[in-house]
Amino acid sequence: MTYKLKLNGGDIKSVQGDSGHSQVSMVTDVYSHIIDEDRKRNAELFEEAFYGKKNLNPQMADTPMEKTVAVPEGIDPELLTKVLSNPEMAALLSALAKSMQA
């Protein structure tokens, strides 16, 4: 359940239902340590954006950021784009890639 909580971006109610715990507090007491790193990173990003007065609206970006990635055969490009656009999933995949390189 720890990794499910990480993969779904901290959706505690979903993990509660899937794990069969009757109380949300059981999930938070036992599993929430896994999202502490994400909470810290989100706080850092917010602080950087707030004090750096960064424009956080992606539709109003100063310069469009276009990245192209070769999509392997059999992979749905739209689904891959959705997965990679989720900051939690991108961070998790990045951490996984780094751990595989080590």
Side-chain angles (χ1 to χ4, degrees):
M1 288 302 143
T2 301
Y3 292 108
K4 184 167 195 157
L5 187 61
K6 180 78 170 175
L7 288 171
N8 71 19
D11 184 351
I12 294 170
K13 287 296 284 182
S14 174
V15 172
Q16 175 199 2
D18 292 347
S19 66
H21 294 303
S22 61
Q23 300 293 322
V24 172
S25 61
M26 177 65 182
V27 176
T28 58
D29 291 346
V30 175
Y31 304 111
S32 65
H33 67 279
I34 193 71
I35 58 174
D36 284 344
E37 183 179 313
D38 292 337
R39 288 186 315 111
K40 289 176 186 175
R41 182 65 186 138
N42 285 339
E44 290 170 1
L45 290 172
F46 178 78
E47 187 173 299
E48 289 172 13
F50 182 78
Y51 291 109
K53 298 185 190 247
K54 292 183 180 178
N55 183 358
L56 299 179
N57 186 343
Q59 295 174 343
M60 297 178 64
D62 297 333
T63 56
M65 293 175 40
E66 291 188 29
K67 296 181 183 179
T68 57
V69 176
V71 178
E73 187 176 326
I75 302 294
D76 182 295
E78 290 180 29
L79 181 58
L80 181 59
T81 300
K82 286 181 182 180
V83 168
L84 294 176
S85 67
N86 179 313
E88 290 86 9
M89 286 300 294
L92 180 61
L93 292 171
S94 177
L96 179 61
K98 288 177 186 176
S99 71
M100 292 176 72
Q101 292 175 349

